[in-house]
Amino acid sequence: MIKLMSVNFDDCIPNWRTQLETIEYNVLVVVREGKVRYELNGEEMIAEKDDVLFIPQSTRRSGTNWNGIPHQKHTILFTMDRHEPTGIPFLDEGKCLKFNLSHIQYAYHRCERLYEEMRGDKSYRTMICLGIMQELIGMLARELEKTELAPSKRKYADTIKSYLLEHYRDPIEIESLAKLIHRSPNYATALFKEVHGHSPIRYMHQLRVLEACSLLLHSDMTIAHIAQYLGYYDTSYFYRIFKKYTGLSPSDYVLQGERPDISKLFT
């Protein structure tokens, strides 16, 4: 049986470090920004942005900021009954692992929700936290069952992703993305979906809607101005896209008061 101990969010802590010790719990680490250096059973492991790390109980572990540069990460500490197999291979094998998730943004939001619930006092908090934790473990187990991607595929998909992160406000055409990796448009679309779980155009809309959510809550820009700023020159189309990904119109999103759960953007 899995039992949560604590959920932490390390937000660019100067001089962050953990002493060398044999830990009596399991750790899931989800890195959001920067890099973190661990020594695990005498071997160095560097985890960076978008990496997920599993450190099993009884590991001899220490950690520091990589090259003294602060990082940002979620850390989940939990225990299990050593005598009862979970049926989850990576948990039962008890080996240190580092890997990537196709739906890393969704994982970020689940970690955020878990962090908030662990610090709250609402009814059924324990049940909800355990459910979120089980979902995260299931996502990781499913990811590890996938056939290992060829390094070239990962490289091509990441090239497209990096371009979209920098140019998501610009007009995006699949033909242009395909030229980045010298492949056909159909291949580029299928490859990106295989690696990241959705099409490049869907990812572009996700980035735009996330930015729109921030601007709606933290700027004085009008909805029409936000739409144009994000590359939607038809405001009604922006309304449809925003509602498709959040379940709310831009106006309702603002009126809701507190920030709604937008994790559905990444499912």
Side-chain angles (χ1 to χ4, degrees):
M1 180 178 179
I2 294 172
K3 183 177 180 180
L4 277 167
M5 293 177 57
S6 66
V7 180
N8 306 299
F9 179 56
D10 299 331
D11 190 7
C12 299
I13 301 172
N15 302 315
W16 176 89
R17 61 172 48 85
T18 59
Q19 65 181 8
L20 182 63
E21 62 178 345
T22 301
I23 57 175
E24 296 303 319
Y25 45 82
N26 304 280
V27 187
L28 273 181
V29 180
V30 184
V31 183
R32 297 193 66 148
E33 295 291 343
K35 298 180 181 181
V36 55
R37 177 192 177 276
Y38 285 102
E39 181 182 317
L40 305 174
N41 294 328
E43 296 185 5
E44 182 183 66
M45 184 174 288
I46 307 296
E48 55 188 297
K49 178 178 169 61
D50 295 349
D51 280 344
V52 178
L53 202 62
F54 172 63
I55 307 174
Q57 185 175 351
S58 300
T59 299
R60 186 80 170 157
R61 177 215 65 180
S62 68
T64 62
N65 284 327
W66 181 78
N67 282 354
I69 303 171
H71 62 274
Q72 190 181 72
K73 70 178 184 299
H74 300 280
T75 310
I76 304 169
L77 280 57
F78 64 100
T79 59
M80 301 181 300
D81 186 339
R82 291 185 175 187
H83 305 293
E84 290 289 335
T86 65
I88 304 293
F90 81 90
L91 292 182
D92 294 337
E93 290 170 4
K95 298 178 181 178
C96 297
L97 291 173
K98 183 179 76 169
F99 49 95
N100 298 116
L101 273 175
S102 299
H103 301 286
I104 188 64
Q105 296 289 343
Y106 181 68
Y108 290 158
H109 284 283
R110 301 315 286 155
C111 288
E112 290 172 0
R113 178 69 188 280
L114 183 58
Y115 180 77
E116 292 169 1
E117 287 288 345
M118 284 288 287
R119 278 152 182 74
D121 57 1
K122 294 182 180 179
S123 56
Y124 307 110
R125 177 177 68 91
T126 300
M127 182 179 293
I128 290 171
C129 289
L130 182 59
I132 296 172
M133 181 63 184
Q134 289 175 333
E135 180 186 10
L136 285 168
I137 289 175
M139 290 171 60
L140 301 179
R142 180 179 291 173
E143 195 78 15
L144 288 168
E145 285 185 347
K146 291 182 179 180
T147 303
E148 188 68 26
L149 288 166
S152 59
K153 285 189 174 183
R154 175 71 65 179
K155 179 181 177 182
Y156 289 152
D158 286 347
T159 296
I160 294 173
K161 183 178 181 180
S162 295
Y163 181 86
L164 290 171
L165 283 167
E166 291 187 17
H167 300 279
Y168 65 91
R169 290 172 48 208
D170 301 334
I172 301 293
E173 296 182 354
I174 293 297
E175 289 76 9
S176 300
L177 299 178
K179 288 180 181 178
L180 294 172
I181 61 173
H182 307 291
R183 294 293 187 272
S184 71
N186 287 340
Y187 180 89
T189 299
L191 171 68
F192 192 89
K193 190 169 185 177
E194 179 183 358
V195 175
H196 294 296
H198 41 244
S199 71
I201 298 303
R202 179 183 174 88
Y203 183 62
M204 176 200 72
H205 286 308
Q206 290 173 351
L207 293 172
R208 288 182 175 185
V209 171
L210 276 175
E211 180 72 3
C213 289
S214 177
L215 293 172
L216 285 166
L217 296 179
H218 305 296
S219 80
D220 295 327
M221 295 170 67
T222 65
I223 293 174
H225 189 186
I226 290 172
Q228 187 172 29
Y229 174 78
L230 294 173
Y232 297 114
Y233 298 104
D234 181 345
T235 305
S236 63
Y237 179 63
F238 168 67
Y239 267 81
R240 292 197 299 273
I241 289 292
F242 190 91
K243 189 166 186 177
K244 175 181 177 180
Y245 287 98
T246 67
L248 298 168
S249 70
S251 302
D252 289 340
Y253 182 88
V254 174
L255 290 174
Q256 189 156 323
E258 62 183 32
R259 179 179 175 179
D261 181 5
I262 55 174
S263 59
K264 66 180 70 177
L265 280 167
F266 306 101
T267 59

